Amino acid sequence: MAVLARRTALMPGHSALSMPTCAIRRTMKKGRPVGAWFNLQEASDFSDKRKSEIEAARRAGKLPKKITIRKRSTIEDLLDDWSKSVEFKALSSASQSSYRKCISAILYRPQSRESAAKMRAEIRAAKLLGVAEPVRELEAIATATPTSIGKPEFRAFYNYAKSARGHHMALSMIATLSAAFTWGQESVLWRLGPNPREGMEFDHPEGRIVQVAMSEFSAWVAAADAIDRPSVGDSFHLALFTGQRQTDRLIMRNESDVEGRHAFRQSKTGELVDIKEAPQLSARLNASRARIKELKLRLQLDKVPPELVVNEDNGEPYDERSKRYMTVDSCFRFSQGPAIL
């Protein structure tokens, strides 16, 4: 009992009678390799030694470090926690990228292209000079607390986003905010109540149907070929015969081993789509492969990418920045010299 009394001096709030006897053994497991129980003298020596160390530390002013817990209370905090969560990282890269763009739109006020370019330049300069970087102006909702957001606030934010960002973007922002609220319901960090988005309806824009005559399509392809951008024509053919959006066309690979079939994987769902390859598409892709081989020799590349659409400038797939070339108007704007349509 004397040993237990000495041991309890190290553990405030426990009396000798309430102190579990096995605590000595658990401490011993941490203090040395697991073995037999301490005898009376060993336990007494250990207790006296630890008691002396603690008293010396207190006299020296060495107090335990305070644990600072960052307060997580705003919509900005919620979106940040969600974007760093295991559940978010389990999404496809395309979904993560889409959500991150919407998160940025939710948190920050819109910028013109000129203002955005100016801020990027200022950020580069700040990094070079080692000074504080400029920050974008936050939207009012960014500093609001999730508990203050109900259906009226969701509706008001949607109406604002629709006027400031456009109809399609507003719907995407609402979907992103709703996904964060749903995640917050099951998060031990947030424990949010019901998602205010549930049961709400938002108007959707009417579908856009564009009809392109074959003569127009052929003129677009001829224009791209005439200004030495045949990859744009390749993308147009893939659009016509696969119906895929530009993001998927630019990363498209032919994953079919069957002659006359074309298989490609959708970026968002990861599903493999298999279609019969039209003769016009086969002819265009065969010509594309020949051009890519010539490009490999001209640029002295070790290898060429497996993507079907390859940038003529560097022999690489188009990325987020360079995909703006993928329209006829952009081709004319960035081409050297006049082009004939």
Side-chain angles (χ1 to χ4, degrees):
M1 182 63 69
V3 175
L4 291 179
R6 291 192 186 98
R7 186 68 187 89
T8 55
L10 309 181
M11 300 183 65
H14 290 278
S15 67
L17 295 178
S18 65
M19 176 70 180
T21 305
C22 59
I24 296 179
R25 189 173 187 179
R26 285 200 298 268
T27 306
M28 297 311 106
K29 286 184 178 180
K30 295 180 180 179
R32 72 173 194 179
V34 177
W37 286 84
F38 276 9
N39 60 33
L40 180 61
Q41 188 58 48
E42 288 174 331
S44 178
D45 292 343
F46 176 84
S47 178
D48 291 339
K49 180 182 177 182
R50 292 293 297 141
K51 182 173 181 291
S52 300
E53 290 175 352
I54 292 175
E55 289 175 347
R58 287 173 176 169
R59 287 194 299 270
K62 296 180 180 178
L63 300 175
K65 293 183 178 179
K66 291 183 179 180
I67 300 176
T68 56
I69 300 176
R70 180 185 173 190
K71 292 183 178 180
R72 313 292 286 172
S73 58
T74 66
I75 292 293
E76 183 179 16
D77 296 330
L78 174 64
L79 292 171
D80 182 55
D81 286 348
W82 174 52
S83 66
K84 294 177 181 177
S85 68
V86 175
E87 293 80 7
F88 188 91
K89 293 177 181 178
L91 300 172
S92 69
S93 57
S95 295
Q96 290 186 46
S97 178
S98 297
Y99 275 134
R100 290 187 191 282
K101 290 177 181 177
C102 290
I103 288 174
S104 178
I106 293 169
L107 296 179
Y108 302 106
R109 295 186 62 81
Q111 283 184 314
S112 64
R113 289 175 180 257
E114 294 75 15
S115 298
K118 181 181 178 182
M119 175 163 280
R120 287 194 295 270
E122 291 174 349
I123 291 175
R124 288 193 296 269
K127 289 180 178 179
L128 186 63
L129 298 174
V131 298
E133 298 178 11
V135 293
R136 290 181 61 181
E137 183 180 359
L138 289 172
E139 291 280 14
I141 195 172
T143 56
T145 60
T147 53
S148 69
I149 304 298
K151 293 183 185 297
E153 287 74 25
F154 252 85
R155 178 64 62 187
F157 182 67
Y158 167 72
N159 291 335
Y160 162 73
K162 184 178 177 181
S163 63
R165 298 275 187 175
H167 204 159
H168 290 279
M169 190 59 179
L171 290 170
S172 298
M173 291 163 68
I174 289 296
T176 299
L177 195 57
S178 175
F181 267 84
T182 298
W183 173 83
Q185 288 178 301
E186 299 181 352
S187 168
V188 296
L189 301 175
W190 288 92
R191 302 178 184 273
L192 298 181
N195 185 347
R197 168 66 177 82
E198 294 179 3
M200 297 184 67
E201 295 184 2
F202 298 92
D203 58 310
H204 288 254
E206 295 182 1
R208 292 171 293 183
I209 300 176
V210 179
Q211 292 183 333
V212 178
M214 282 306 299
S215 57
E216 293 177 291
F217 174 82
S218 299
W220 288 352
V221 174
D225 292 343
I227 60 175
D228 295 326
R229 286 280 175 188
S231 60
V232 176
D234 299 339
S235 180
F236 286 164
H237 274 80
L238 290 172
L240 178 64
F241 292 103
T242 69
Q244 298 302 296
R245 56 185 180 175
Q246 179 169 280
T247 299
D248 281 340
R249 297 199 307 271
L250 298 186
I251 62 172
M252 190 178 290
R253 306 175 181 183
N254 189 2
E255 301 187 35
S256 174
D257 297 326
V258 180
E259 184 69 25
R261 305 291 298 182
H262 183 73
F264 53 91
R265 196 170 300 277
Q266 293 182 321
S267 61
K268 275 211 167 189
T269 63
E271 294 292 329
L272 189 66
V273 181
D274 184 274
I275 63 173
K276 184 177 181 180
E277 194 169 80
Q280 298 93 325
L281 180 59
S282 297
R284 185 73 190 190
L285 293 181
N286 289 335
S288 172
R289 294 187 189 98
R291 279 188 273 105
I292 292 173
K293 288 182 179 180
E294 295 176 0
L295 189 66
K296 179 182 178 182
L297 295 175
R298 179 167 60 84
L299 298 179
Q300 298 182 348
L301 303 175
D302 294 331
K303 59 181 181 179
V304 293
E307 284 77 11
L308 298 176
V309 181
V310 177
N311 191 336
E312 293 86 356
D313 293 338
N314 51 25
E316 298 178 358
Y318 284 88
D319 57 23
E320 286 293 323
R321 293 182 179 180
S322 58
K323 74 178 184 181
R324 64 183 184 274
Y325 288 94
M326 301 305 294
T327 64
V328 173
D329 290 341
S330 297
C331 284
F332 286 125
R333 191 161 60 252
F334 288 105
S335 65
Q336 298 294 325
I340 300 175
L341 180 60

